[in-house]
């Protein structure tokens, strides 16, 4: 099936933040769009708002005056639901309440042609459940846009148990024609993005709770080492803790309390205190006028290093060696198991064990563990951890070497898998379960995380490039250290490692 023709009339019900944005997307794509809201005047106000918004783009030279007026002319506010009788697609973006949505779709079934596709923008309710009481449940699907809809490229096309696969293809093609990046997903709690993204918040919150580092340091690591646009604390301050905590709780409950999704007491406390983030002026950070943003902690070293020894291969961290070469550091190569020696220090990429544990198990004195960087050739900051009994001079040598390579170094307290590595391993683990359970394809999972939440890499491709055996080892060590189900590795990871295949290999 192909995309809906631009002659097809679209309706959007609910003229709030999402509904207005979706109506604009459809109108810009050339459709005539009816906008309806049960609050009198709300739909007309939303269209006025869109007109003002487009007016600013005209002023900035980003849109022609003709496009603005043509787009606005395609939008029409309606008061009466009967006016939607000749629409080809009706997208609902009303209050997030199952019974209210069900009642609306039942009412629509009595008004619309049988060929009309019904879509819900719900982010947390089951499409199967919303459709269950309809006469034609096969024509109801999820069409999940991200906020703000005109800006965010991702649209999750969500199929419930009864949804017609042909209609899912039609919505997919239509979203494509609207300039979006659609992905297919089955209706399971959180769909793709709101499920796979949970560890991004959860692991930083846990590190904070365990006093591994302060918010500003962890946020800086996610940006400057991980390559994420924002760290978890600045991002949840932006999203609003009430919203982010509610999503986490809803996913946790929907999976019958699976501790993978355990909400954080720290975030709960912020919500209880009314510290909702930017919108309330205080979250993890203070947004009052003149408030100073705390700086990440960094560890400096005055020592001078001119050479180091690399034993074996650092694998994904080899970009570090290139940087040392560029800085004129002599790098002596020997056989070995992926260790970097400088002075009395031994540097190694974390495998998920704490430094104290690995130092003891492998008989390595003065071990400095390195965190993951999204790109070791480009990252500007890197986290390290070491056992409490490391000799200060050895630590200073290790830090000096990393500084020579151009990294700002942040020392974390000795915790399994540091910060970026544990986060990426857990994102990949959740993505692997989504794939294992047939909720979405590997390509769609990665696309969803890049286009929906701007991750620098899709978590599955990221894990493939790190090496699945390494990711599995990291998760097994996290699992063993905490003894918690939360860190259990996905069966699919184990299987693919045993088969010697990647997550992107066809199943
Ligand atoms: P909102 O509160 O800004 O807007 C909802 C609008 O629906 C209001 O104007 C309200 O008057 C209207 N409404 C409520 N019940 C109605 C009914 N029975 N008939 C007609 N109009 C009705 O909410 P928002 O944020 O736009 O969310 C709408 C939907 O989109 C929800 O299902 C939400 O879960 C989902 N969503 C929200 C996202 C967000 O970031 N805000 C992101 C993706 C999905």
């Amino acid at each position: 099936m192909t995309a809906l023709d631009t002659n097809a009339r679209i309706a959007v019900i609910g003229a709030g933040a999402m509904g207005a944005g979706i109506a604009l997307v459809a109108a810009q794509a050339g459709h005539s769009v009816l906008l309806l809201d049960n609050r009198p005047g709300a739909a007309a106000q939303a269209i006025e708002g869109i007109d003002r918004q487009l007016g600013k783009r005209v002023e900035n030279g980003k849109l022609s005056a003709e496009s603005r007026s043509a787009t606005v002319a395609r939008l029409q506010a309606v008061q009466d639901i009967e006016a939607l009788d000749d629409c080809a697609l009706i997208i609902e973006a009303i209050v997030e309440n199952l019974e209210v949505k069900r009642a609306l779709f039942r009412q629509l079934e009595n008004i619309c042609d049988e060929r009309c596709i019904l879509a819900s923008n719900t982010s947390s309710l089951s499409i199967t459940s919303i459709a269950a009481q309809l006469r034609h449940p096969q024509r109801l699907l999820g069409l999940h846009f991200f906020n703000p809809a005109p800006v965010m490229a991702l649209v999750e096309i969500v199929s419930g148990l009864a949804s017609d696969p042909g209609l899912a293809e039609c919505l997919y093609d239509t979203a494509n024609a609207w300039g979006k990046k659609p992905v297919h997903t089955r209706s399971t709690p959180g769909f793709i993005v709101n499920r796979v993204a949970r560890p991004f918040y959860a692991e930083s919150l846990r590190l904070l709770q365990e006093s591994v580092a302060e918010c500003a340091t962890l946020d800086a690591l996610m940006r400057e080492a991980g390559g994420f646009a924002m760290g978890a604390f600045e991002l949840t301050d932006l999203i609003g803790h009430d919203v982010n905590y509610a999503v986490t709780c809803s996913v946790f409950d929907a999976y019958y309390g699976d501790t993978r999704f355990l909400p954080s007491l720290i975030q709960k406390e912020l919500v209880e205190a009314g510290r909702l983030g930017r919108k309330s002026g205080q979250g993890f950070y203070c947004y009052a006028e003149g408030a100073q943003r705390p700086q990440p902690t960094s560890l400096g070293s005055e020592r001078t290093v001119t050479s180091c020894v690399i034993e074996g291969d650092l694998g994904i961290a080899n970009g570090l060696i290139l940087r040392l070469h560029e800085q004129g550091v002599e790098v002596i190569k020997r056989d070995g198991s992926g260790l970097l020696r400088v002075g009395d220090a031994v540097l190694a990429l974390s495998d998920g064990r704490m430094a104290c544990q690995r130092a003891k198990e492998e008989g390595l004195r003065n071990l400095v563990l390195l965190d993951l960087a999204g790109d070791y050739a480009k990252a500007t900051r890197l986290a390290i951890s070491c056992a409490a009994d490391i000799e200060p001079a050895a630590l200073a040598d290790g830090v000096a070497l990393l500084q020579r390579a151009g990294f700002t170094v942040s020392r974390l307290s000795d915790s399994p898998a540091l910060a970026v590595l544990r986060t990426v391993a857990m994102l990949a683990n959740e993505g692997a379960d989504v794939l294992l359970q047939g909720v979405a394809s590997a390509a769609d999972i990665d696309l969803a995380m890049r286009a929906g939440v701007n991750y620098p890499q899709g978590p599955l491709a990221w894990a493939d490039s790190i090496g699945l055996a390494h990711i599995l080892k990291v998760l097994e060590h996290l699992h063993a250290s905490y003894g918690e189900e939360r860190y259990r590795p996905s069966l699919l990871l184990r299987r693919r490692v045993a088969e010697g295949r990647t997550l992107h290999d066809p199943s």
Side-chain angles (χ1 to χ4, degrees):
M1 197 180 238
T2 51
L4 288 176
D5 191 88
T6 48
N7 290 325
R9 184 177 261 196
I10 312 281
V12 179
I13 308 184
M18 292 309 294
I22 296 166
L24 171 57
V25 170
Q28 275 178 324
H31 293 273
S32 147
V33 182
L34 302 180
L35 187 57
L36 176 116
D37 197 290
N38 68 354
R39 193 164 55 81
Q45 277 167 21
I47 294 173
E48 284 162 22
I50 290 172
D51 190 28
R52 276 196 302 276
Q53 203 182 318
L54 296 183
K56 283 195 195 122
R57 291 178 57 82
V58 173
E59 278 167 31
N60 296 336
K62 289 185 177 153
L63 187 75
S64 71
E66 295 74 40
S67 285
R68 170 194 183 181
S69 49
T71 300
V72 175
R74 284 188 215 110
L75 290 159
Q76 188 189 339
V78 292
Q79 288 292 339
D80 184 1
I81 199 163
E82 310 278 339
L84 311 189
D85 61 348
D86 66 344
C87 288
L89 167 64
I90 301 180
I91 307 167
E92 163 280 307
I94 65 167
V95 61
E96 188 75 338
N97 177 302
L98 179 63
E99 284 316 318
V100 180
K101 286 192 197 281
R102 278 178 161 177
L104 175 68
F105 283 115
R106 276 200 302 269
Q107 196 182 1
L108 286 171
E109 265 205 319
N110 293 328
I111 293 164
C112 308
D113 186 282
E114 266 188 29
R115 283 163 302 176
C116 172
I117 307 172
L118 303 177
S120 172
N121 185 50
T122 180
S123 31
S124 65
L125 301 172
S126 153
I127 294 301
T128 302
S129 182
I130 296 174
Q133 297 169 347
L134 296 183
R135 282 197 305 277
H136 302 289
Q138 66 276 12
R139 64 157 142 173
L140 190 135
L141 294 101
L143 196 57
H144 185 215
F145 288 80
F146 288 72
N147 194 9
V151 177
M152 297 303 290
L154 184 70
V155 181
E156 292 178 325
I157 313 291
V158 189
S159 290
L161 206 51
S163 301
D164 178 342
L167 296 183
E169 286 309 323
C170 171
L171 290 185
Y172 183 96
D173 292 344
T174 302
N176 243 330
W178 292 0
K180 295 295 174 189
K181 291 197 162 104
V183 293
H184 285 294
T185 172
R186 278 205 298 116
S187 179
T188 50
F191 310 139
I192 303 174
V193 171
N194 280 337
R195 172 177 175 183
V196 178
R198 295 326 325 141
F200 182 76
Y201 314 108
E203 292 312 311
S204 280
L205 284 160
R206 172 159 280 205
L207 291 168
L208 182 68
Q209 189 167 24
E210 294 175 356
S211 307
V212 171
E214 300 297 322
C215 297
T217 305
L218 292 167
D219 276 348
L221 284 168
M222 288 301 149
R223 275 186 275 106
E224 297 167 31
F228 291 93
M230 282 190 190
F233 304 107
E234 47 205 3
L235 181 55
T236 48
D237 268 8
L238 181 67
I239 294 169
H241 290 287
D242 48 345
V243 174
N244 188 262
Y245 179 68
V247 175
T248 305
C249 290
S250 121
V251 172
F252 176 65
D253 291 342
Y255 286 101
Y256 302 109
D258 185 338
T259 53
R260 281 259 185 88
F261 306 109
L262 191 72
S264 159
L265 285 175
I266 293 190
Q267 193 174 35
K268 177 171 189 258
E269 193 178 26
L270 284 184
V271 174
E272 287 168 348
R275 295 187 177 191
L276 304 181
R278 279 175 191 253
K279 62 186 172 190
S280 73
Q282 171 85 56
F284 285 111
Y285 300 106
C286 177
Y287 298 91
E289 221 178 292
Q292 294 278 325
R293 190 69 176 257
Q295 292 303 305
T297 52
S298 309
L299 190 62
S301 170
E302 304 283 304
R303 311 263 292 193
T304 310
V305 292
T306 53
S307 69
C308 63
V309 176
I310 168 147
E311 295 178 352
D313 188 354
L314 288 191
I316 45 155
N318 273 335
L320 178 63
I321 306 300
L322 291 179
R323 286 168 75 151
L324 289 170
H325 275 302
E326 277 166 20
Q327 295 306 315
V329 177
E330 186 192 5
V331 182
I332 301 156
K333 294 201 169 181
R334 284 193 206 135
D335 287 344
S337 55
L339 299 177
L340 188 57
R341 293 186 188 269
V342 56
D344 284 335
V346 185
L347 281 62
L349 181 63
S350 167
D351 67 2
R353 280 175 289 179
M354 288 181 283
C356 58
Q357 183 189 1
R358 183 161 166 191
K360 196 167 163 195
E361 287 171 3
E362 295 188 9
L364 294 170
R365 270 186 59 238
N366 295 322
L367 177 64
V368 177
L369 291 180
L370 307 179
D371 196 4
L372 179 69
D375 182 349
Y376 284 92
K378 293 197 183 124
T380 52
R381 183 179 292 273
L382 193 64
I384 59 165
S385 66
C386 31
D389 62 359
I390 190 166
E391 287 165 22
L395 175 59
D397 280 339
V399 172
L401 187 74
L402 295 172
Q403 276 179 349
R404 262 312 275 282
F407 290 104
T408 301
V409 178
S410 289
R411 181 181 175 180
L412 306 182
S413 64
D414 190 10
S415 187
L418 289 94
V420 180
L421 180 59
R422 77 152 65 189
T423 302
V424 171
M426 287 295 278
L427 290 171
N429 202 31
E430 199 51 50
D433 261 2
V434 170
L435 183 59
L436 176 71
Q437 293 160 10
V439 173
S441 69
D444 278 359
I445 293 165
D446 276 354
L447 175 59
M449 303 316 288
R450 283 191 282 108
V453 270
N454 291 327
Y455 285 2
Q457 303 183 51
L460 303 183
W462 205 339
D464 282 343
S465 71
I466 293 167
L468 289 191
H470 192 76
I471 293 290
L472 178 60
K473 202 191 303 173
V474 167
L475 290 165
E476 284 173 339
H477 285 144
L478 275 163
H479 192 205
S481 296
Y482 282 105
E484 286 179 39
E485 280 294 285
R486 168 190 178 110
Y487 294 106
R488 70 187 184 274
S490 166
L491 180 75
L492 188 68
L493 269 179
R494 286 192 194 285
R495 191 191 294 158
R496 294 284 163 107
V497 170
E499 293 168 343
R501 298 196 307 141
T502 70
L503 289 171
H504 273 272
D505 284 339
S507 29

